[in-house]
């Protein structure tokens, strides 16, 4: 395909791909299928990111009642709809293109279940919180698809989930500084997207085939995670005849000790032990879990 003009400002040191993973399907929750790229045995964490799942769920499968503490979950729907319900009375449904940015903080117990016929698909990213923010009160930021900031230029469309791209900013507040960009490149398009040099960053390909980092590098197709090395931004090309869609995510590393036990992420083993005790005894943020069950009536073991 003929190459279009490059979009965005020039980069002094484009980031190269240093590792590549194919996210293979695995079972998670109750009957759900996820392609996990961060949070598996080859890549336990990528500071500040803990998990990246591309999920696929069809009723009656789902993610019934389960807890979280010490981090944030970002759910971005690609197809279908999911209903979220928690022990504090917060309930809602997110559909195609909708976003839910949940700060679990000191504790949440919730469920995430299919809300439509057929297969529901989306992405869920877990972002770690610093030690000073791990025990803050839970909070939600929810944006419907029509309200997500978008920009288009030179054959490139971006949905700005968090951060800034093509002169467009997201209203999402990120306690752990984060950028989350959903790019679609038409055939022949060439992207140059700045990323703060001190941040870790990755690409996850959703659709099509793209070239990342170097023009002569091998094309990468759907369900691959690309860890990016040092530099001041990402350079990407769509040399194919079909649309290329991928997310670019970057975050400021916390550089703190990390201890994880399933859905609990803290800084020390003592804090994990305390969290388990709090959850089992309905204390220190989990008080409302004692008498609460979601409409699904199911509980997820962890």
């Amino acid at each position: 395909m003929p190459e279009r003009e490059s979009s965005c400002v020039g980069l002094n040191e484009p980031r190269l791909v240093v590792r590549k993973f194919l996210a293979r399907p695995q079972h998670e929750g109750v009957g759900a299928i996820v392609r996990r790229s961060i949070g598996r045995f080859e890549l336990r964490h990528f500071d500040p990111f803990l998990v990246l799942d591309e999920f696929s769920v069809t009723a009656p499968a789902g993610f019934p009642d389960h807890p979280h503490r010490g981090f944030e979950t970002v759910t971005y729907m690609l197809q279908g709809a999911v209903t979220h319900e928690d022990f504090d009375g917060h309930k809602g449904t997110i559909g195609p293109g909708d976003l839910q940015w949940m700060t679990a903080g000191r504790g949440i117990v919730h469920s995430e279940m299919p809300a439509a016929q057929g297969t529901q698909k989306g992405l869920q990213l877990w972002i770690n919180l610093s030690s000073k923010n791990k025990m803050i009160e839970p909070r939600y930021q929810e944006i419907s698809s029509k309200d997500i900031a978008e920009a288009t230029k030179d054959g490139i469309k971006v949905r700005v989930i968090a951060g800034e791209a093509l002169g467009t900013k997201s209203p999402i507040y990120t306690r752990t500084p984060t950028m989350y960009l959903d790019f679609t490149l038409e055939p022949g398009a060439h992207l140059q997207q700045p990323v703060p040099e001190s941040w870790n960053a990755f690409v996850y390909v959703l659709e099509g085939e793209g070239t990342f980092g170097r023009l002569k590098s091998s094309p990468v197709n759907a369900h691959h995670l690309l860890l990016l090395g040092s530099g001041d931004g990402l350079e990407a090309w769509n040399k194919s005849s079909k649309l290329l869609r991928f997310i670019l995510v970057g975050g400021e590393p916390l550089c703190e000790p990390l201890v994880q036990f399933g859905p609990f992420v803290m800084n020390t083993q003592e804090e994990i032990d305390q969290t388990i005790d709090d959850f089992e005894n309905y204390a220190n943020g989990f008080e409302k879990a004692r008498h609460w069950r979601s409409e699904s009536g199911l509980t997820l073991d962890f």
Side-chain angles (χ1 to χ4, degrees), residues 65-266:
D65 305 6
H66 60 281
H68 294 295
R69 174 182 277 181
F71 60 99
E72 300 183 297
T73 67
V74 182
T75 306
Y76 182 42
M77 292 301 298
L78 302 174
Q79 171 186 309
V82 166
T83 293
H84 168 273
E85 182 183 358
D86 77 14
F87 68 177
D88 201 32
H90 184 94
K91 184 177 180 181
T93 299
I94 54 174
D98 293 349
L99 171 75
Q100 181 195 76
W101 197 293
M102 183 187 83
T103 303
R106 67 199 299 257
I108 280 281
V109 179
H110 72 159
S111 67
E112 300 154 294
M113 301 296 288
Q117 297 296 315
T119 301
Q120 332 303 314
K121 295 183 178 182
L123 299 171
Q124 187 167 95
L125 176 70
W126 292 13
I127 305 173
N128 200 9
L129 289 169
S130 65
S131 56
K132 68 180 180 182
N133 287 324
K134 284 190 176 296
M135 294 296 285
I136 62 175
E137 291 298 320
R139 181 190 179 198
Y140 292 90
Q141 299 176 85
E142 294 172 322
I143 303 181
S144 63
S145 181
K146 65 180 177 60
D147 294 325
I148 288 179
E150 292 188 1
T152 304
K153 182 180 180 183
D154 300 331
I156 297 170
K157 174 185 173 183
V158 63
R159 308 190 83 223
V160 186
I161 308 304
E164 180 178 0
L166 302 184
T168 301
K169 291 184 179 181
S170 166
I172 288 288
Y173 171 67
T174 60
R175 279 178 176 77
T176 300
T178 303
M179 63 188 303
Y180 189 144
L181 307 173
D182 175 4
F183 282 108
T184 301
L185 273 60
E186 294 179 5
H190 172 205
L191 169 72
Q192 292 181 301
Q193 171 60 42
V195 178
E197 290 194 47
S198 62
W199 290 17
N200 285 331
F202 67 84
V203 164
Y204 187 78
V205 182
L206 295 171
E207 178 185 346
E209 186 177 84
T211 302
F212 301 90
R214 266 197 200 99
L215 183 58
K216 293 184 178 179
S217 60
S218 299
V220 179
N221 56 17
H223 313 304
H224 278 91
L225 177 88
L226 308 176
L227 298 188
L228 304 178
S230 60
D232 61 354
L234 170 71
E235 197 159 13
W237 298 262
N238 183 0
K239 298 190 288 184
S240 76
S241 60
K242 298 181 180 179
L243 290 177
L244 164 66
R245 186 181 182 189
F246 63 91
I247 61 168
L248 168 63
V249 180
E252 184 173 44
L254 298 176
C255 301
E256 294 183 356
L258 186 155
V259 182
Q260 179 173 359
F261 180 76
F264 304 139
V265 182
M266 303 301 287

